[in-house]
Amino acid sequence: ALDDGIFAFFAGEMVVKMVALGVIGQKGYLGDTWNRLDFFIVLVGMLEYSLDGHNVSLSAIRTVRVLRPLRAINRVPSMRILVTLLLDTLPMLGNVLALCFFVFFIFGIVGVQLWAGLLRNRCFMGEDVTILWTTFFHPAIISVLISQTVSVCALIRRYNITFLNSYYRPDGTDDHPFICSMERDNGMLRCSDVPRRRVARTYCSLGAEEAHSETGVKADGPVTCVNWYQYYNECRAGEINPHKGAINFDNIGYAWIAIFQVKSLQNV
């Protein structure tokens, strides 16, 4: 009801002004910038009422209501002067925006030259685990084992590594990935820095060859377990950049986004 009353007041005021001043002309109603703002607000309100009841989304139209407080500026002369001065100084900010763009452009080029593709580096399984998987899960080997009446399930139970990913993911998320550096790069993290695996608050220290079922040692026992993370020993480029691909320096566009986040102190 309050919204309807406000709209009726604005519409009535617009009609009175149009009758008194005229619609067009230098001294007419639409000759003043603030009156054009009032006319736009009332026109959008009419559009909202005309579409009400139809199968049309009015959320975008109703957001124009936020312009209604701007009408108060037309009632306070001192505030109107300040807003007018602010609008007059906007062209002067063009030089500031040009300088900001120049800084972004220079540092974007530097970022692309230094770090293009490097944020996709992850620690993948090396030859040790590849050979392990090939040995125990290759179809040809499995067929031979079946022909020799050896249970494949026993081999899977021996090395229960179905929980492993293709590359090391801390806490199972890509939002804060473990980014490694190759030997030719001067990064801070190598695949040897991948933390040890923990099972039941115990750091694992065994290797795969030390946890054979015939030795009686369980691969994931409460006391001893295999540190499977030590087999993530090959650093190479993957396909995903941090934060679902949003943060990288692979091209100048993404470099500008990363620089803007650093400059605005977001996700630092």
PDB file of all heavy atoms in Angstrom, residues 93-103:
ATOM      1  N   LEU A  93      38.436  12.200 -14.262  1.00  0.00           N
ATOM      2  CA  LEU A  93      38.922  10.907 -13.782  1.00  0.00           C
ATOM      3  C   LEU A  93      39.372  10.004 -14.919  1.00  0.00           C
ATOM      4  O   LEU A  93      39.876   8.911 -14.671  1.00  0.00           O
ATOM      5  CB  LEU A  93      37.821  10.197 -12.983  1.00  0.00           C
ATOM      6  CG  LEU A  93      37.360  10.895 -11.707  1.00  0.00           C
ATOM      7  CD1 LEU A  93      36.234  10.109 -11.060  1.00  0.00           C
ATOM      8  CD2 LEU A  93      38.516  11.061 -10.733  1.00  0.00           C
ATOM      9  N   GLY A  94      39.189  10.430 -16.147  1.00  0.00           N
ATOM     10  CA  GLY A  94      39.631   9.622 -17.280  1.00  0.00           C
ATOM     11  C   GLY A  94      41.123   9.368 -17.276  1.00  0.00           C
ATOM     12  O   GLY A  94      41.585   8.264 -17.595  1.00  0.00           O
ATOM     13  N   ASN A  95      41.906  10.386 -16.880  1.00  0.00           N
ATOM     14  CA  ASN A  95      43.358  10.203 -16.810  1.00  0.00           C
ATOM     15  C   ASN A  95      43.738   9.190 -15.736  1.00  0.00           C
ATOM     16  O   ASN A  95      44.673   8.399 -15.905  1.00  0.00           O
ATOM     17  CB  ASN A  95      44.041  11.542 -16.532  1.00  0.00           C
ATOM     18  CG  ASN A  95      43.863  12.521 -17.674  1.00  0.00           C
ATOM     19  OD1 ASN A  95      43.767  12.116 -18.832  1.00  0.00           O
ATOM     20  ND2 ASN A  95      43.811  13.808 -17.356  1.00  0.00           N
ATOM     21  N   VAL A  96      42.997   9.209 -14.624  1.00  0.00           N
ATOM     22  CA  VAL A  96      43.271   8.235 -13.559  1.00  0.00           C
ATOM     23  C   VAL A  96      42.965   6.818 -14.045  1.00  0.00           C
ATOM     24  O   VAL A  96      43.729   5.878 -13.802  1.00  0.00           O
ATOM     25  CB  VAL A  96      42.443   8.578 -12.303  1.00  0.00           C
ATOM     26  CG1 VAL A  96      42.671   7.541 -11.206  1.00  0.00           C
ATOM     27  CG2 VAL A  96      42.791   9.966 -11.813  1.00  0.00           C
ATOM     28  N   LEU A  97      41.841   6.665 -14.753  1.00  0.00           N
ATOM     29  CA  LEU A  97      41.502   5.342 -15.282  1.00  0.00           C
ATOM     30  C   LEU A  97      42.510   4.890 -16.330  1.00  0.00           C
ATOM     31  O   LEU A  97      42.851   3.697 -16.393  1.00  0.00           O
ATOM     32  CB  LEU A  97      40.099   5.386 -15.888  1.00  0.00           C
ATOM     33  CG  LEU A  97      38.945   5.643 -14.905  1.00  0.00           C
ATOM     34  CD1 LEU A  97      37.625   5.711 -15.651  1.00  0.00           C
ATOM     35  CD2 LEU A  97      38.901   4.571 -13.830  1.00  0.00           C
ATOM     36  N   ALA A  98      43.001   5.824 -17.139  1.00  0.00           N
ATOM     37  CA  ALA A  98      44.009   5.462 -18.135  1.00  0.00           C
ATOM     38  C   ALA A  98      45.300   5.002 -17.465  1.00  0.00           C
ATOM     39  O   ALA A  98      45.932   4.029 -17.898  1.00  0.00           O
ATOM     40  CB  ALA A  98      44.282   6.653 -19.053  1.00  0.00           C
ATOM     41  N   LEU A  99      45.709   5.685 -16.386  1.00  0.00           N
ATOM     42  CA  LEU A  99      46.905   5.262 -15.655  1.00  0.00           C
ATOM     43  C   LEU A  99      46.702   3.895 -15.015  1.00  0.00           C
ATOM     44  O   LEU A  99      47.603   3.047 -15.039  1.00  0.00           O
ATOM     45  CB  LEU A  99      47.243   6.302 -14.580  1.00  0.00           C
ATOM     46  CG  LEU A  99      48.439   5.979 -13.678  1.00  0.00           C
ATOM     47  CD1 LEU A  99      49.711   5.861 -14.498  1.00  0.00           C
ATOM     48  CD2 LEU A  99      48.597   7.037 -12.586  1.00  0.00           C
ATOM     49  N   CYS A 100      45.511   3.672 -14.444  1.00  0.00           N
ATOM     50  CA  CYS A 100      45.214   2.368 -13.833  1.00  0.00           C
ATOM     51  C   CYS A 100      45.269   1.267 -14.885  1.00  0.00           C
ATOM     52  O   CYS A 100      45.839   0.192 -14.657  1.00  0.00           O
ATOM     53  CB  CYS A 100      43.850   2.418 -13.162  1.00  0.00           C
ATOM     54  SG  CYS A 100      43.390   0.896 -12.314  1.00  0.00           S
ATOM     55  N   PHE A 101      44.696   1.525 -16.064  1.00  0.00           N
ATOM     56  CA  PHE A 101      44.740   0.537 -17.136  1.00  0.00           C
ATOM     57  C   PHE A 101      46.175   0.277 -17.583  1.00  0.00           C
ATOM     58  O   PHE A 101      46.553  -0.868 -17.859  1.00  0.00           O
ATOM     59  CB  PHE A 101      43.900   1.022 -18.323  1.00  0.00           C
ATOM     60  CG  PHE A 101      43.986   0.137 -19.529  1.00  0.00           C
ATOM     61  CD1 PHE A 101      43.259  -1.043 -19.581  1.00  0.00           C
ATOM     62  CD2 PHE A 101      44.804   0.469 -20.595  1.00  0.00           C
ATOM     63  CE1 PHE A 101      43.336  -1.866 -20.696  1.00  0.00           C
ATOM     64  CE2 PHE A 101      44.895  -0.346 -21.706  1.00  0.00           C
ATOM     65  CZ  PHE A 101      44.163  -1.523 -21.763  1.00  0.00           C
ATOM     66  N   PHE A 102      46.999   1.324 -17.641  1.00  0.00           N
ATOM     67  CA  PHE A 102      48.395   1.161 -18.041  1.00  0.00           C
ATOM     68  C   PHE A 102      49.140   0.274 -17.044  1.00  0.00           C
ATOM     69  O   PHE A 102      49.899  -0.624 -17.433  1.00  0.00           O
ATOM     70  CB  PHE A 102      49.054   2.538 -18.130  1.00  0.00           C
ATOM     71  CG  PHE A 102      50.506   2.492 -18.517  1.00  0.00           C
ATOM     72  CD1 PHE A 102      50.889   2.250 -19.832  1.00  0.00           C
ATOM     73  CD2 PHE A 102      51.499   2.681 -17.567  1.00  0.00           C
ATOM     74  CE1 PHE A 102      52.227   2.209 -20.185  1.00  0.00           C
ATOM     75  CE2 PHE A 102      52.836   2.634 -17.909  1.00  0.00           C
ATOM     76  CZ  PHE A 102      53.203   2.394 -19.223  1.00  0.00           C
ATOM     77  N   VAL A 103      48.912   0.493 -15.751  1.00  0.00           N
ATOM     78  CA  VAL A 103      49.564  -0.329 -14.721  1.00  0.00           C
ATOM     79  C   VAL A 103      49.096  -1.771 -14.828  1.00  0.00           C
ATOM     80  O   VAL A 103      49.900  -2.713 -14.766  1.00  0.00           O
ATOM     81  CB  VAL A 103      49.277   0.255 -13.322  1.00  0.00           C
ATOM     82  CG1 VAL A 103      49.782  -0.695 -12.238  1.00  0.00           C
ATOM     83  CG2 VAL A 103      49.936   1.624 -13.171  1.00  0.00           C
TER      84      VAL A 103
END
